[in-house]
Amino acid sequence: MSKPDFKKIIAHCKEYGYIFQSSEIYDGLSAVYDYGPYGAELKKNIKDYWWTAMVHMQENIVGLDAAIFMHPKTWKASGHVDAFNDPLVDNKDSKKRYRADVLIEDYIANKVDKKINKEIDKAAKRFGDAFDEAQFRATNGRVLQYQEKKDKILERFTAAMSGNDMAEMKQIIEDLEIACPESGSKNWTDVRQFNLMFSTQMGALADGSSKIYLRPETAQGIFVNFLNVQKTTRQKLPFGIAQIGKAFRNEIVARQFIFRMREFEQMEMQFFVQPGTEMKWYEHWKAKRMQWHRAVLPEEKLKFHDHDNLAHYANAALDIEFEFPFGFKELEGIHSRTDFDLGAHQELSGKKLQYFDPEKNESYVPYVVETSIGVDRMFLTIMTNGLIDEEVPDAKGGTAVRTVLKIHPALAPVKLAVLPLLKNKEALTDKARSIFNDLRLDFNCQYDEKDAIGKRYRRQDAIGTPFCVTVDFDTLEDDTVTLRDRDTMEQIRIPISEIKSRISDKTDWRNLLAEF
Ligand code: ATP
């Protein structure tokens, strides 16, 4: 078994109708992608998985579908007009553009963390079971030196970012002798801030007063509707509002397929709590969200990463990271946002955004704990984790390689393929079609009669279909079919009447969410 590299994953997504470059016939639009027939199904299933877990399974969370366009003052209050910036730097020789913060973070990961980990691996091998990592980290001279170096860089970096000191950001890049990953050149421009919001004009007037933004996050639609939702659903604190929707960011560097896009989709939940209880809920959602990921992704590819550099609105923040083909990177953010957003909207709008607490008999602005994940990033984890090349026996007694997308059956775009053994025998195709027609209301099924049966199995493996049933001449006699399992390739004979319950058992959300 081997893992295809990132290029092959991207090619697979295109070849099998998962993802296409946007406007491909015009040479594409950078960092914008279209989801093909199977991609649209998988994306919908990911969203359903999240919505079922976060809304239907939670008595105190309700859904919302707010508009993409919002009053421009929204983005003034939220801080996005003044502070939703990334520090940008160009390399004068390669003409490549980078995010200065990412250059520094990558330096720490590649030049410092890697060395620390190497020392730890070496020692772990030497000491075997007796190895105590915490003690080694606290006492080993070399590790302490690297750690001190890291702490010093982080201290300068955090101060420069929060103080908006772009000259210091450039100085850090120069002091660390960071080179352009493309050309190796250290010839950098000054670092400058770049606002990531897209703007456009509303209505016919093209003056400054009609300027509006495409939302860079879905969260603000939740904040401005906080009281509408609370009053109409009679929720008591703590309660949450969840939303799935498009967001837009004019990203400086967008080179990693659907990892960083300029138009993407978010699944966000804001949980409103009594001030002073936010850390308890932060821990609660941290654990819950990890549980949600671990149900469909391997534990060793997921980890928490506490933020070194807190956003202007947060008093605690962490990322859930996944090991993408290009390393551990953010998949989801969990932030304790205090009363920053509601407080700011209250001030700028002049409208009260307070909750009357019947137990305390007082009104206050609630605190917020947020969980925020990109649908597209989740899609990428499912694709990169699920796609494998596997050696299998071939028909002639040798071996062949099959490409199979092993994703959880509940998320798979097509649950069942119904295949007549031969396409030119009407009795077989009629029977297969009647099974297909009977089951398509229960789950997404596909009917396929083109090519030899082995080739059809491979095609279903490649799109991740967990089950195939084959209709053959025995089916006409005894109403049984062959059921093939994608992962084990095992084939068993079952009555037609059992297909539905067997597939439903494996594709049911209960398999993922019974304990949620
Ligand atoms: P990053 O540090 O990677 O730029 P961020 O910290 O700005 O991400 P958040 O503002 O916390 O991201 O957004 C929440 C989630 O939205 C992220 O965890 C990610 O899954 C998703 N997301 C953010 N930006 C993008 C993007 N440009 N393309 C795809 N998904 C994105």
Side-chain angles (χ1 to χ4, degrees):
M1 192 185 98
S2 66
K3 281 247 143 252
D5 63 19
F6 196 39
K7 267 200 185 134
K8 187 160 176 220
I9 294 169
I10 297 172
H12 188 93
C13 283
K14 182 171 179 203
E15 186 179 349
Y16 287 93
Y18 271 91
I19 298 173
F20 308 123
Q21 174 77 57
S22 159
S23 330
E24 199 185 63
I25 59 164
Y26 295 105
D27 296 332
L29 186 65
S30 166
V32 186
Y33 291 91
D34 299 338
Y35 286 84
Y38 297 116
E41 294 285 346
L42 175 55
K43 203 173 175 207
K44 179 178 172 301
N45 293 345
I46 290 171
K47 290 192 267 186
D48 284 349
Y49 176 41
W50 187 85
W51 193 263
T52 308
M54 299 298 284
V55 182
H56 295 173
M57 295 287 290
Q58 310 297 320
E59 252 183 83
N60 58 357
I61 300 183
V62 291
L64 180 76
D65 185 8
I68 287 171
F69 291 138
M70 299 183 72
H71 194 286
K73 280 187 180 169
T74 309
W75 306 109
K76 186 74 190 157
S78 68
H80 284 81
V81 172
D82 298 318
F84 193 55
N85 302 317
D86 276 342
L88 171 160
V89 65
D90 291 306
N91 186 278
K92 290 184 195 160
D93 297 322
S94 68
K95 309 274 182 268
K96 285 271 170 198
R97 178 159 286 181
Y98 296 92
R99 262 172 67 177
D101 55 332
V102 173
L103 284 178
I104 297 170
E105 278 166 0
D106 284 352
Y107 177 90
I108 294 172
N110 296 326
K111 297 273 156 76
V112 191
D113 283 342
K114 253 195 192 150
K115 287 186 179 152
I116 294 178
N117 292 337
K118 219 170 159 183
E119 294 294 331
I120 290 172
D121 287 348
K122 258 193 338 209
K125 267 197 202 125
R126 203 166 58 231
F127 295 114
D129 287 346
F131 182 60
D132 177 344
E133 186 182 324
Q135 196 196 359
F136 184 77
R137 276 181 185 272
T139 52
N140 179 273
R142 230 175 272 156
V143 171
L144 286 173
Q145 249 177 19
Y146 291 136
Q147 190 59 45
E148 194 189 335
K149 179 174 179 185
K150 177 176 169 174
D151 291 343
K152 274 196 185 138
I153 301 171
L154 278 177
E155 197 182 318
R156 279 182 75 185
F157 172 49
T158 310
M161 286 294 281
S162 48
N164 205 6
D165 187 347
M166 294 302 110
E168 169 68 352
M169 286 292 280
K170 177 160 188 202
Q171 197 58 52
I172 298 174
I173 291 175
E174 283 180 348
D175 291 351
L176 296 176
E177 299 185 3
I178 295 177
C180 165
E182 198 91 355
S183 64
S185 147
K186 293 174 193 158
N187 193 6
W188 298 105
T189 61
D190 286 342
V191 178
R192 59 199 163 90
Q193 290 284 28
F194 175 77
N195 193 289
L196 300 184
M197 282 199 294
F198 283 101
S199 63
T200 185
Q201 306 292 329
M202 183 164 247
L205 281 178
D207 63 10
S209 65
S210 60
K211 179 174 172 177
I212 56 164
Y213 298 98
L214 272 73
R215 66 180 178 200
E217 62 175 27
T218 58
Q220 300 304 324
I222 293 179
F223 289 124
V224 300
N225 277 298
F226 160 70
L227 271 190
N228 283 337
V229 175
Q230 191 265 323
K231 286 191 170 145
T232 50
T233 56
R234 296 174 300 127
Q235 292 285 344
K236 286 207 177 92
L237 246 52
F239 80 97
I241 305 176
Q243 162 157 248
I244 300 178
K246 289 266 182 164
F248 304 83
R249 294 182 189 179
N250 198 2
E251 298 281 1
I252 296 171
V253 183
R255 294 186 195 122
Q256 283 156 328
F257 193 38
I258 57 167
F259 180 81
R260 194 174 298 286
M261 303 156 87
R262 298 204 164 98
E263 173 180 342
F264 59 103
E265 213 164 353
Q266 288 186 313
M267 306 189 280
E268 295 198 297
M269 191 278 293
Q270 315 290 321
F271 202 68
F272 299 92
V273 304
Q274 228 181 57
T277 64
E278 70 274 15
M279 287 321 288
K280 180 182 101 188
W281 289 109
Y282 178 73
E283 292 301 326
H284 171 87
W285 286 110
K286 176 180 167 183
K288 274 280 184 213
R289 294 304 305 148
M290 189 54 114
Q291 184 189 345
W292 186 88
H293 288 291
R294 283 185 182 162
V296 292
L297 296 168
E299 203 172 319
E300 67 277 9
K301 290 198 165 192
L302 292 159
K303 69 175 186 194
F304 291 117
H305 172 88
D306 286 317
H307 281 203
D308 303 310
N309 186 9
L310 287 181
H312 59 280
Y313 50 73
N315 69 355
L318 61 85
D319 297 335
I320 294 179
E321 293 189 341
F322 177 79
E323 192 176 15
F324 290 95
F326 37 85
F328 271 99
K329 297 275 177 217
E330 172 175 348
L331 166 60
E332 167 155 11
I334 299 174
H335 311 125
S336 173
R337 289 177 82 127
T338 68
D339 59 356
F340 174 83
D341 303 85
L342 288 179
H345 286 306
Q346 179 171 267
E347 198 177 316
L348 196 62
S349 68
K351 308 265 164 43
K352 273 214 156 101
L353 286 174
Q354 299 193 348
Y355 170 75
F356 176 73
D357 189 329
E359 276 149 38
K360 289 183 141 186
N361 201 24
E362 61 176 86
S363 293
Y364 52 82
V365 178
Y367 270 35
V368 171
V369 174
E370 159 186 85
T371 73
S372 172
I373 174 172
V375 180
D376 314 271
R377 275 192 202 174
M378 189 63 198
F379 190 110
L380 190 57
T381 68
I382 299 290
M383 281 316 267
T384 59
N385 182 60
L387 197 65
I388 52 175
D389 290 330
E390 200 174 60
E391 236 178 49
V392 291
D394 69 9
K396 296 175 201 130
T399 56
V401 173
R402 71 162 180 158
T403 299
V404 53
L405 185 59
K406 289 191 177 176
I407 56 181
H408 194 287
L411 295 179
V414 180
K415 310 296 189 213
L416 174 73
V418 184
L419 317 170
L421 187 62
L422 301 168
K423 83 165 180 191
N424 43 13
K425 287 275 178 274
E426 214 170 288
L428 294 181
T429 52
D430 283 355
K431 187 74 179 170
R433 278 213 174 270
S434 90
I435 296 173
F436 168 66
N437 285 329
D438 187 42
L439 292 172
R440 60 203 295 191
L441 257 184
D442 296 302
F443 25 72
N444 193 21
C445 300
Q446 199 170 70
Y447 173 85
D448 187 10
E449 59 179 28
K450 195 170 170 279
D451 296 323
I453 193 76
K455 219 169 175 187
R456 277 180 275 164
Y457 283 153
R458 290 286 178 277
R459 195 153 56 222
Q460 295 301 331
D461 286 345
I463 62 170
T465 308
F467 300 102
C468 294
V469 299
T470 307
V471 173
D472 56 22
F473 292 103
D474 287 343
T475 313
L476 306 178
E477 303 293 321
D478 61 6
D479 268 346
T480 64
V481 289
T482 300
L483 179 75
R484 176 186 182 269
D485 182 294
R486 175 196 68 197
D487 298 346
T488 60
M489 298 202 304
E490 199 187 14
Q491 301 190 13
I492 54 170
R493 202 74 195 171
I494 59 162
I496 292 173
S497 57
E498 266 183 36
I499 303 176
K500 182 174 160 184
S501 64
R502 280 183 179 259
I503 311 291
S504 304
D505 268 2
K506 299 280 187 196
T507 56
D508 197 322
W509 289 128
R510 274 188 180 73
N511 296 319
L512 296 175
L513 294 172
E515 309 278 309
F516 200 77

